[in-house]
């Protein structure tokens, strides 16, 4: 029996790997037009062709590897934990090329960062598959999520999503210290993985296991400091600049508050003072987080940290002061695990991509002309509102699921209550 289970596990692991690679290849094919100069797609569809991932450096030597190991990789513009991987991979690639007397050019091999990001996506799919139990459709649906294929492989966010999901899986399996490790590493890429720490705190408050939270907190601080420490000590000004850029990353003005003033206020007369948006956003987010805490503590049946984390992420996205399509990439694995309603999932994905298209497609009449002859609602207005309706839907139905105990046992409750 053990041999059968081992063989089945190996087959499932290979299937997950193949699915992940196919998803990456499909995403790559979507951007093939961007590489054809005659089509001029990059200038006509900048949102499709833009990317944060710089070209990999294939000239890393043993003497230069350590120079970028703690300072953002060979190119110096990557998150530190990503730079550690690209430094080692660049050094290995250079060494192999020298050993076989090969002359590598930038276009000779796939971009090192893209290769690594592909492996990151495979890890995320495998983690979701491990949490799904006997739900083989979960990782398949998630692997080909339209928003991930469209923008997921153009930024560093997938790295942070991977660390977030590894932290969730470690906590569910009863290892808050390991969860803290992943949270600390994820925080070096983006601060959203810290929400896992908040979720652990809320679960600890419900089950009176506050020690789990302090273990995860201490572990996350230690590993965050271990990765960032050398950079902070040797080049503090540069580290501070990157830290500030992470906090103030530019995004499009499509938050709930902007959409309210541009779409709803004119029809209701209830306009939000733009000067108080920052304060209002902070207050609403804090109140919503407290509401999530009460839902977690007062739930009639055992909630899952997946559900709690999804609520926290929805609150941050819905009432926050910034928006980008990448935020839906963060939500994809949690929505897949917490809801398992593919109709809901793909309607939400279609709305997100539709709205993104109205913002990034070439200027034209279809996104600005009234949708109805007798009205003033444009397709962009409708999709902007639909985005927030979808988020509110997930917020409400997940709270209802928690109160009913629905789906919680399918994705694991607190390890000490399993």
């Amino acid at each position: 029996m053990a041999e059968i289970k081992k063989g089945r596990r190996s087959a499932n692991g290979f299937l997950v790997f193949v699915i992940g690679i196919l998803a990456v290849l499909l995403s790559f094919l979507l951007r093939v037009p961007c590489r054809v100069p005659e089509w001029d797609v990059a200038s006509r569809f900048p949102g499709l062709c833009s990317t944060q991932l710089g070209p990999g450096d294939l000239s890393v030597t043993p003497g230069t590897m350590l120079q970028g190991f703690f300072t953002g990789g060979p190119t110096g513009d990557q998150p530190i934990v990503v730079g550690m991987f690209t430094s080692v991979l660049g050094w290995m690639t250079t060494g192999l090329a020298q050993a076989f007397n090969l002359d590598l050019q930038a276009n000779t091999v796939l971009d090192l960062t893209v290769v690594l990001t592909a492996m990151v996506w495979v890890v995320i799919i495998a983690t979701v598959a491990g949490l799904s139990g006997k739900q083989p459709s979960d990782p398949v649906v998630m692997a080909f999520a339209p928003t991930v294929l469209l923008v997921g492989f153009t930024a560093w966010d997938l790295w942070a999503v991977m660390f977030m999901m590894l932290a969730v899986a470690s906590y569910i399996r009863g290892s808050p210290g390991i969860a803290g490790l992943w949270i600390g590493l994820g925080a070096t890429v983006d601060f959203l993985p810290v929400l896992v720490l908040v979720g652990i705190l809320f679960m600890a408050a419900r089950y009176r296991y506050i020690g789990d939270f302090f273990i995860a907190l201490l572990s996350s601080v230690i590993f965050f400091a271990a990765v960032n420490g050398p950079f902070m000590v040797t080049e503090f000004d540069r580290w501070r600049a990157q830290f500030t850029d992470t906090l103030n990353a530019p995004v499009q003005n499509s938050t709930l508050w902007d959409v309210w003033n541009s779409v709803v206020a004119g029809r209701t007369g209830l306009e939000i003072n733009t000067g108080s948006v920052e304060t209002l956003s902070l207050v609403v987010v804090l109140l919503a987080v407290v509401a999530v805490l009460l839902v977690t503590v007062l739930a009639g049946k055992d909630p899952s940290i997946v559900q709690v984390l999804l609520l926290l992420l929805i609150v941050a996205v819905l009432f926050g002061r910034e928006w980008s399509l990448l935020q839906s990439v963060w939500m994809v694995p949690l929505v897949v695990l917490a809801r398992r309603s593919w109709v809901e999932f793909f309607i939400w994905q279609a709305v997100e991509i539709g709205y993104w298209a109205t913002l990034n497609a070439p200027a034209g009449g279809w996104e600005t002309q009234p949708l109805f002859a007798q009205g003033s609602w444009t397709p962009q207005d409708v999709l902007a509102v639909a985005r927030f309706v979808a988020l509110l839907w997930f917020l409400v139905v997940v709270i209802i699921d928690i109160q009913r105990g629905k789906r919680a046992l399918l994705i694991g409750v607190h390890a000490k209550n399993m």
Side-chain angles (χ1 to χ4, degrees), residues 198-210 289-304 308 311 399 402-403:
V198 180
I200 293 175
L201 174 62
F202 288 3
M203 297 293 285
R206 174 181 174 84
Y207 296 112
R208 308 297 191 271
Y209 295 133
I210 198 65
V289 168
V290 172
V292 174
L293 172 61
L294 293 176
V295 168
T296 305
V297 173
L298 301 178
K301 296 185 179 180
D302 292 332
S304 167
V308 175
L311 291 179
I399 290 175
I402 289 177
Q403 293 302 320

Side-chain angles (χ1 to χ4, degrees), residues 94-169:
T94 303
L96 289 173
Q98 293 175 350
F100 291 97
N101 197 25
L102 297 175
D103 183 20
L104 290 181
Q105 301 297 325
N107 295 327
T108 303
V109 297
L110 287 176
D111 186 353
L112 298 180
T113 53
V114 173
V115 173
L116 283 174
T117 305
M119 296 300 102
V120 163
W121 186 231
V122 170
V123 172
I124 296 173
I125 297 172
T127 304
V128 171
L131 293 175
S132 296
K134 298 180 179 179
Q135 296 287 338
S137 61
D138 288 359
V140 176
V141 170
M142 192 196 75
F144 297 99
T147 54
V148 176
L149 298 181
L150 196 60
V151 299
F153 299 97
T154 65
W156 305 115
D157 290 56
L158 276 184
W159 285 77
V161 174
M162 175 186 69
F163 290 128
M164 178 184 73
M165 294 310 299
L166 288 173
V168 169

